């Protein structure tokens, strides 16, 4: 079994020489572990496990609990297709609450509660719009809820004709959620004993990320207030008393994102209730390219103090340490994510735990015990108990991988065309020794994301077919500071294309990549950059462009990024040259000679299907070998197990056809 050991590096148990290699069907054996939570007594850790069910062609998501010493594991929920998530212990240790859509509430989720003394789980809430998030109060008497307004036009009668969809919002569509109406997500205080809720906030804006004060009397949360909040991303931190008629106080006034919901990082009250730790983003015009830092602000109001400004790295998940004077948090670095700490009064940031692995999540129980969700290049994230520098693996959901020979993951560093240093990975096939072999450049999505030390399943599946995989983090990627991320602002397909092409050159220089048998591909922005690459370089003999776009003008009003376009590109009628420049893979599709497989999903509001249809039609018109594959009833991220396997098999078939079967 592969384990992470606290030696600041990774120790791996050798894989038997006779072990098998990955097959596409093995994607159905991968289990996703998430959201570890430590019980108040420090004796248990609850977490979520998602498992593909090939019989129903769906994923089952259930709750599991393991003792702190790892000696016993129990499955808390197992009701077939009725999935559960978001486990939270009540602070007194009596209950575990969770979210589930177990009953006839349609697709919406409610809070359920499980008495740890025994018995079946009971439904606690019954909101027509559903509960999106909840947090226990420190006295265990109340929950803070984020509840979606009821849609009065919604009907559970499947035989009834649906009413027209009326749009009057600036940002009117969102992947998975679909078309957006007037419904918003608001903050409630819910009394557990009486099962009654009090709505604390109203208005045409959403609230998110509630956090209780230590005395259980007030809540911190984030929201956007102002005229037509859809038009900007200026999230701010607010505090409100948890009682009817209370008026919220706005704590932050920074013109940028304060603790944006997308960062999934809750504000954290100090033990004495006098300060709140939170995340402060960058200027609004920097959108996702901005780096967010750790800050503290007086709960009573006053100026904020940024604690990690000089770090120039994204931070997440602040947790006050037991001394009440220091804060632990996660730092996203170059391919890694590690645990750090800093004094609340300011000072140097200290790395606490890190190495060639990635800490995906961290939760704490108030006696120095932490639960970490950690992955490495050869093992998907698992739950670890961490006490006083000692780590112990608690979950073992993917131990079957210890019997599989995986590709070897090598860190790379090289210079781009203009001399910029770029980092990434080269993955060689299982049992590879030397020589030039067919090679695939794989491009990540985002673009503000990165290939990191987590287990990269798609890369390993492709490597198992005998391909070397080049996985670079070009400019635009996260992990190396704001300037590195923002280098591609309004200039997509230029510097980042140079960087990924330099990654291929590096693999050639290393004696691995065969220049006559090169492929390229990616999903989301990975598909977008794939289109940019093949429109300016003909060295690739096969490409796979998934959920990508090329005619950027076609995105305006058809995808969910209107506010991003406003900040980065400007309006098409006011800044037409920029929009046309960024659309060159479509407007100059005649430059593309690479056989390209386009893939998309039917209900994608992130990068809508029309983008893939346009590029497919262009290459078909130009008689360049192409195909379009559409996955029905799916959103931007595919979730149906058979589709995930099918996608892998189509990747492999397309590359095999043009890179192995006598082509090139």
């Amino acid at each position: 079994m592969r384990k992470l050991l606290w030696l600041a590096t990774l120790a791996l148990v050798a894989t038997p020489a006779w072990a098998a290699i990955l097959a596409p069907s093995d994607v159905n054996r991968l289990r996703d572990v998430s959201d570890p939570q430590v019980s108040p007594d420090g004796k248990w850790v609850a977490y979520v496990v998602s498992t593909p069910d090939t019989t129903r062609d769906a994923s089952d998501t259930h709750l599991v609990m393991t003792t702190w010493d790892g000696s016993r594991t129990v499955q808390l929920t197992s009701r077939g297709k009725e999935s559960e998530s978001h486990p939270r212990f009540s602070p007194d240790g009596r209950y575990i609450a969770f979210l589930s859509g177990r009953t006839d509430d349609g697709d919406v989720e409610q809070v359920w509660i499980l008495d740890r003394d025994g018995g079946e789980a009971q439904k606690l809430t019954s909101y027509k719009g559903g509960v999106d998030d909840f947090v226990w109060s420190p006295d265990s008497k109340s929950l803070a809820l984020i509840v979606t307004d009821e849609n009065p036009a919604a009907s559970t009668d499947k035989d009834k004709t649906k009413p027209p969809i009326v749009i009057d919002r600036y940002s009117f569509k969102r992947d998975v959620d679909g078309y957006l109406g007037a419904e918003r997500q608001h903050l409630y205080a819910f009394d557990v004993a009486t099962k009654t809720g009090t709505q604390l906030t109203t208005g045409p804006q959403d609230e998110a990320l509630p956090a209780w004060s230590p005395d259980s009397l007030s809540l911190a949360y984030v929201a956007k207030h102002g005229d037509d909040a859809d038009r900007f991303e200026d999230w701010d931190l607010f505090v409100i008393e948890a009682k009817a008629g209370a008026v919220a106080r706005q704590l932050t006034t920074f013109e940028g994102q304060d603790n944006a919901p997308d960062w999934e990082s809750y504000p954290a009250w100090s033990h004495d209730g006098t300060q709140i730790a939170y995340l402060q983003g960058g200027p609004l015009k920097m959108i996702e390219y901005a780096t967010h830092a750790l800050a503290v602000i007086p709960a009573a109001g006053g100026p904020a103090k940024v604690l990690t400004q000089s770090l120039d790295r994204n931070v997440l998940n602040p947790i006050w340490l037991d001394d009440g004077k220091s804060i632990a948090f996660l730092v996203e670095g170059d391919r890694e994510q590690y645990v750090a700490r800093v004094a609340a009064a300011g000072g140097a940031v200290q790395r606490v735990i890190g190495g060639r692995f990635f800490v995906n999540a961290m939760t704490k129980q108030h006696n120095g015990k932490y639960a970490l969700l950690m992955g490495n290049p050869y093992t998907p994230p698992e739950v670890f108990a961490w006490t006083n520098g000692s780590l112990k693996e608690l979950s073992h959901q993917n131990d079957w991988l210890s019997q599989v020979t995986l590709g070897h993951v090598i860190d790379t560093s090289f210079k781009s065309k203009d001399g910029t240093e770029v980092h990434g990975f080269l993955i060689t096939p299982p049992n590879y020794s030397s020589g030039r072999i067919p090679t695939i450049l794989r491009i990540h999505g985002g673009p503000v994301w990165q290939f990191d030390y987590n287990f990269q399943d798609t890369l390993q599946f492709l490597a198992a077919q005998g391909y070397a995989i080049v996985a670079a983090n070009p400019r635009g990627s996260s992990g190396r500071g704001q300037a590195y991320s923002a280098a591609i602002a309004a200039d997509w397909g230029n510097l980042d294309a140079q960087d990924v092409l330099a990654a291929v050159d590096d693999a050639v220089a290393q004696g691995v990549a065969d220049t006559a048998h090169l492929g390229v591909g990616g999903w989301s922005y990975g598909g977008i950059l794939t289109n940019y690459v093949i429109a300016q370089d003909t060295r690739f003999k096969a490409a796979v462009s998934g959920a990508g776009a090329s005619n950027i003008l076609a995105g305006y009003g058809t995808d969910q990024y209107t506010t991003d376009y406003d900040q980065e590109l400007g309006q098409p009628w006011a800044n037409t040259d920029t929009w046309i420049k960024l659309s060159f893979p479509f407007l100059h599709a005649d430059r593309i000679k690479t056989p390209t497989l386009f893939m998309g999903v039917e209900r994608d509001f992130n990068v809508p299907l029309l983008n893939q249809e346009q590029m497919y039609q262009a290459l078909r018109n130009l008689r360049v070998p192409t195909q379009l594959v559409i996955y029905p009833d799916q959103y931007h991220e595919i979730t149906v197990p058979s589709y995930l396997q099918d996608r892998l098999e189509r990747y492999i078939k397309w590359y095999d056809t043009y890179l192995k079967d006598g082509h090139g």
Side-chain angles (χ1 to χ4, degrees):
M1 172 183 357
R2 294 183 174 90
K3 293 178 179 287
L4 283 167
L5 303 178
W6 176 232
L7 297 172
T9 57
L10 221 86
L12 298 176
V13 177
T15 305
W18 46 261
I21 63 172
L22 287 172
S25 59
D26 287 329
V27 71
N28 296 308
R29 301 174 67 187
L30 287 173
R31 296 188 174 191
D32 181 60
V33 181
S34 61
D35 205 2
Q37 300 291 321
V38 187
S39 64
D41 59 10
K43 295 180 179 179
W44 292 86
V45 178
Y47 48 95
V48 179
V49 178
S50 182
T51 306
D53 183 341
T54 56
T55 302
R56 294 191 304 106
D57 205 12
S59 290
D60 294 330
T61 301
H62 296 303
L63 310 184
V64 177
M65 193 166 69
T66 300
T67 54
W68 189 258
D69 63 4
S71 63
R72 184 185 175 203
T73 295
V74 297
Q75 186 155 332
L76 292 174
T77 61
S78 57
R79 293 184 52 166
K81 64 180 182 180
E82 297 166 336
S83 292
E84 301 83 23
S85 64
H86 199 75
R88 295 294 184 270
F89 291 94
S90 59
D92 62 9
R94 180 178 176 183
Y95 300 107
I96 295 179
F98 57 89
L99 292 176
S100 180
R102 288 183 168 197
T103 55
D104 297 327
D105 293 319
D107 295 329
V108 304
E109 293 189 317
Q110 305 292 349
V111 178
W112 290 68
I113 194 166
L114 183 66
D115 194 322
R116 296 182 67 193
D117 288 336
E120 290 291 322
Q122 303 295 318
K123 190 171 76 162
L124 199 61
T125 64
S126 298
Y127 292 98
K128 296 293 185 181
V131 177
D132 295 271
D133 191 11
F134 72 87
V135 180
W136 282 100
S137 62
D139 62 10
S140 299
K141 296 179 179 179
S142 303
L143 297 174
L145 307 177
I146 298 295
V147 176
T148 299
D149 296 337
E150 180 182 359
N151 180 0
S155 173
T156 57
D157 187 349
K158 295 182 180 180
D159 296 325
K160 186 177 180 180
T161 301
K162 294 181 180 179
I165 299 172
V166 179
I167 303 296
D168 59 7
R169 288 180 60 169
Y170 185 71
S171 296
F172 64 92
K173 60 196 311 185
R174 185 185 301 134
D175 196 43
V176 181
D177 296 327
Y179 290 104
L180 303 179
E183 300 79 39
R184 303 290 182 157
Q185 296 177 331
H186 289 304
L187 179 66
Y188 287 65
F190 187 88
D191 185 273
V192 175
T194 62
K195 295 185 179 181
T196 57
T198 300
Q199 185 169 348
L200 302 179
T201 61
T202 59
Q205 74 284 321
D206 296 316
E207 285 86 37
L209 302 175
W212 285 95
S213 60
D215 59 9
S216 300
L217 297 178
S218 298
L219 284 157
Y221 65 94
V222 297
K224 293 186 295 181
H225 282 205
D227 184 31
D228 199 354
D230 281 345
R231 289 182 177 268
F232 55 86
E233 293 300 319
D234 190 4
W235 293 89
D236 279 303
L237 188 64
F238 294 78
V239 170
I240 191 170
E241 290 185 81
K243 65 181 182 180
V247 177
R249 292 185 293 111
Q250 183 173 339
L251 287 187
T252 60
T253 57
F254 172 70
E255 291 187 3
Q257 298 191 71
D258 287 318
N259 232 101
D262 287 349
W263 304 335
E264 298 180 351
S265 190
Y266 293 80
W269 293 75
S270 61
H271 303 324
D272 61 8
T274 62
Q275 297 185 85
I276 300 175
Y278 70 101
L279 308 183
Q280 184 183 96
L284 289 175
K285 65 181 181 180
M286 296 295 292
I287 54 173
E288 286 83 0
Y289 300 122
T291 298
H292 39 273
L294 176 65
V296 291
I297 193 167
K305 183 179 182 63
V306 180
L307 302 178
T308 63
Q309 195 164 35
S310 62
L311 189 62
D312 192 26
R313 294 293 185 270
N314 287 325
V315 303
L316 298 165
N317 200 188
I319 296 174
W320 288 84
L321 299 179
D322 290 334
D323 63 8
K325 299 179 181 179
S326 302
I327 303 168
F329 52 97
L330 301 180
V331 179
E332 183 193 21
D334 178 14
R335 292 167 288 190
E336 65 176 338
Q337 189 154 283
Y338 58 90
V339 181
R341 65 181 290 172
V342 69
V349 174
Q350 299 175 315
R351 178 188 288 250
V352 178
I353 177 173
R356 200 170 183 262
F357 49 84
F358 198 91
V359 183
N360 294 270
M362 171 178 63
T363 55
K364 178 180 182 293
Q365 189 271 339
H366 288 291
N367 61 0
K369 293 183 176 180
Y370 296 77
L372 303 179
L373 184 68
M374 302 172 64
N376 69 65
Y378 302 97
T379 307
E382 298 281 3
V383 177
F384 286 76
W386 177 39
T387 311
N388 298 323
S390 175
L391 278 172
K392 182 177 181 60
E393 188 175 351
L394 298 184
S395 68
H396 306 278
Q397 295 294 324
N398 290 288
D399 276 358
W400 63 274
L401 280 168
S402 64
Q403 303 302 312
V404 175
T405 302
L406 297 172
H408 184 46
V409 182
I410 305 163
D411 291 9
T412 57
S413 177
F414 49 89
K415 294 296 178 71
S416 190
K417 181 179 179 180
D418 63 359
T420 298
E421 184 174 300
V422 181
H423 301 160
F425 299 99
L426 175 64
I427 300 94
T428 55
N431 305 315
Y432 169 82
S433 56
S434 64
R436 297 195 182 276
I437 56 176
T439 298
I440 297 170
L441 168 64
R442 188 70 184 174
I443 305 174
H444 68 66
V448 187
W449 193 69
Q450 63 171 323
F451 286 120
D452 54 43
Y453 289 129
N454 271 314
F455 180 75
Q456 306 290 339
D457 57 298
T458 297
L459 309 189
Q460 287 288 352
F461 278 108
L462 291 173
Q465 302 302 311
Y467 293 102
I469 309 300
V470 174
N473 290 323
R475 277 167 283 189
S477 302
S478 57
R480 293 187 58 194
Q482 184 168 290
Y484 192 84
S485 293
I488 68 167
D491 192 25
W492 313 336
N494 180 19
L495 297 177
D496 48 1
Q498 293 178 24
D499 293 352
V500 296
L501 291 172
V504 176
D505 294 338
D506 178 66
V508 173
Q510 298 301 320
V512 176
D514 182 346
T515 57
H517 298 86
L518 295 176
V520 61
W523 191 266
S524 192
Y525 191 79
I528 294 172
L529 187 50
T530 292
N531 297 343
Y532 282 120
V533 165
I534 60 176
Q536 59 188 289
D537 196 307
T538 58
R539 76 177 77 178
F540 298 97
K541 309 305 180 187
V544 177
S545 177
S550 290
N551 180 9
I552 305 305
L553 273 165
Y556 191 83
T558 66
D559 65 26
Q560 64 186 25
Y561 293 109
T562 302
T563 55
D564 282 25
Y565 292 143
D566 288 345
Q567 296 294 336
E568 185 173 358
L569 307 184
Q571 290 82 10
W573 51 89
N575 206 16
T576 309
D577 289 348
T578 297
W579 288 78
I580 291 176
K581 180 189 75 171
L582 296 183
S583 299
F584 79 78
F586 177 69
L587 298 178
H588 297 285
D590 56 325
R591 300 177 183 177
I592 298 175
K593 309 302 179 186
T594 304
T596 304
L597 171 63
F598 294 100
M599 309 182 92
V601 290
E602 187 178 32
R603 298 185 180 182
D604 193 345
F605 276 5
N606 189 316
V607 188
L609 182 60
L610 70 91
N611 295 279
Q612 298 94 63
E613 292 173 331
Q614 284 189 312
M615 285 303 292
Y616 164 76
Q617 192 67 65
L619 293 201
R620 176 61 70 185
N621 184 294
L622 293 164
R623 300 186 183 278
V624 176
T626 187
Q627 190 177 66
L628 174 62
V629 176
I630 302 168
Y631 293 100
D633 300 321
Q634 291 290 282
Y635 305 106
H636 190 65
E637 298 296 333
I638 294 174
T639 58
V640 172
S642 66
Y643 290 165
L644 292 170
Q645 180 177 336
D646 180 88
R647 181 171 63 175
L648 276 174
E649 290 171 343
R650 291 182 188 277
Y651 286 171
I652 293 165
K653 182 179 179 181
W654 192 263
Y655 288 129
D656 284 355
T657 298
Y658 292 98
L659 302 184
K660 287 184 177 180
D661 296 348
H663 289 265

